[in-house]
Amino acid sequence: MAGVCAPVTIVTAAAQDGTPHGTTVSAFASLSLRPPMVTVALDRSSTVLGLILAAGRFGVNVLGRAQDDLALTFARRGADRFAGVPWHVDHGLPCLEEAPSWLVCRLAQTVEGGDHLLLLGMVTHARTVTAAPLVYGHRTFGTHSSFARRPRRAISDHVDALRR
């Protein structure tokens, strides 16, 4: 599976005292448009998973192509991952200020998945800007090659063009 490209995200949660927690996750995908849902898979031993299960909500920061340093920072164990990283609280969850996309999710369901737990999240708030995505494949960070070479029109522009 190392050759399968995956989006790179940082999933966040807050402890009861407001302390931010986050971890790098590449097991993330869109699940449903109506209602808006995403999936995230977390290792059963993850501290962030325990906080999400207790609070019933989580945040997803979808990273852009030049943010591999953030991905590595939040993948490290035992470090203060938020030290020196610009972030703020949004909808009660830690949001990384420089992430191109931000999702606030209510935990809708969990599904057993071996050593991971698959979280089905109902998206209750979303913010995004157009940016080249950070992807991970063959144990290397990169971006979508076509996106990096040419400007992209918004999906709404394509829909409008098809209607004409």
Side-chain angles (χ1 to χ4, degrees):
M1 294 306 297
V4 176
C5 285
V8 182
T9 67
I10 295 175
V11 174
T12 60
Q16 284 188 342
D17 66 1
T19 303
H21 293 266
T23 189
T24 301
V25 174
S26 61
F28 165 81
S30 173
L31 177 63
S32 169
L33 181 61
R34 290 185 188 90
M37 295 181 75
V38 296
T39 65
V40 173
L42 290 171
D43 187 285
R44 290 177 185 271
S45 65
S46 167
T47 301
V48 173
L49 175 61
L51 294 171
I52 292 169
L53 295 175
R57 52 198 318 263
F58 59 95
V60 180
N61 298 270
V62 182
L63 300 185
R65 90 170 149 196
Q67 294 184 308
D68 49 315
D69 57 333
L70 276 177
L72 291 171
T73 296
F74 279 81
R76 290 188 185 103
R77 294 193 184 272
D80 181 1
R81 298 171 180 168
F82 286 85
V85 175
W87 67 279
H88 64 277
V89 174
D90 185 1
H91 291 79
L93 293 165
C95 172
L96 303 179
E97 293 182 4
E98 297 174 1
S101 297
W102 166 243
L103 306 170
V104 175
C105 301
R106 178 181 52 80
L107 182 60
Q109 185 178 349
T110 61
V111 178
E112 302 284 326
D115 59 1
H116 279 58
L117 199 60
L118 183 66
L119 308 179
L120 307 184
M122 181 77 64
V123 178
T124 60
H125 173 78
R127 172 196 52 77
T128 189
V129 296
T130 302
L134 182 64
V135 297
Y136 188 74
H138 289 288
R139 294 179 174 78
T140 303
F141 290 107
T143 194
H144 185 285
S145 59
S146 292
F147 196 111
R149 283 195 299 263
R150 61 188 169 100
R152 306 289 291 189
R153 292 192 323 184
I155 290 174
S156 58
D157 294 342
H158 291 288
V159 171
D160 290 342
L162 290 172
R163 288 183 181 154
R164 289 186 205 131

